[in-house]
Amino acid sequence: DVQLQASGGGLVQAGGSLRLSCVASGFTFVTLDNYAIGWFRQGPGEEREGVACIGRSDDIPYYSDSVKGRFTISRDDAKNTVYLQMNNLKPEDTAVYYCGAIRGTIATFAWYEYDYWGQGTLVTVSS
């Protein structure tokens, strides 16, 4: 099975930046470029929220309104890695961030459509 490993979370002051990485492994017949990728987050007592997703590497990415202009999703299929660059972080960005992979090239914020998930990485933004 495909496995996703998310990393890069940590504690940062408001206005700071972090880059999350999601490394995929366990492919048998297909590779990461056959999957659309999404980054989601879940704060305490909150539902999982999609923040960024992308189909193929040259597709237009999608962002939630809450992160548009501050976060950038990118993928390096040669390295089986997807990134989430987060700039100008705000305390409300504090959450556990998850990467997900969905078969095909159609990106979506519908988390229940995703086939594989990473274990999550905690991002804490202090004011």
Side-chain angles (χ1 to χ4, degrees):
D1 283 346
V2 174
Q3 296 180 344
L4 303 176
Q5 181 74 35
S7 63
L11 174 63
V12 64
Q13 288 188 335
S17 298
L18 284 174
R19 188 176 80 158
L20 305 184
S21 299
C22 177
V23 180
S25 61
F27 298 106
T28 303
F29 298 108
V30 298
T31 52
L32 184 63
D33 58 353
N34 289 273
Y35 293 82
I37 301 295
W39 282 99
F40 293 75
R41 67 186 182 187
Q42 189 165 15
E46 298 179 358
E47 294 186 354
R48 191 165 295 194
E49 171 195 15
V51 296
C53 59
I54 188 169
R56 296 186 185 277
S57 60
D58 56 354
D59 285 348
I60 297 174
Y62 296 95
Y63 300 97
S64 67
D65 289 342
S66 59
V67 308
K68 196 173 297 182
R70 301 186 297 121
F71 289 12
T72 302
I73 186 173
S74 62
R75 58 189 299 164
D76 185 342
D77 292 329
K79 296 182 179 179
N80 285 337
T81 302
V82 181
Y83 304 99
L84 184 68
Q85 177 66 43
M86 306 186 296
N87 298 329
N88 191 22
L89 283 160
K90 304 176 180 180
E92 51 263 43
D93 295 319
T94 295
V96 177
Y97 283 71
Y98 300 89
C99 57
I102 180 172
R103 296 185 188 91
T105 57
I106 306 300
T108 176
F109 281 143
W111 61 265
Y112 46 85
E113 298 280 354
Y114 281 70
D115 300 297
Y116 304 102
W117 289 97
Q119 83 289 1
T121 184
L122 177 63
V123 172
T124 304
V125 184
S126 63
S127 57

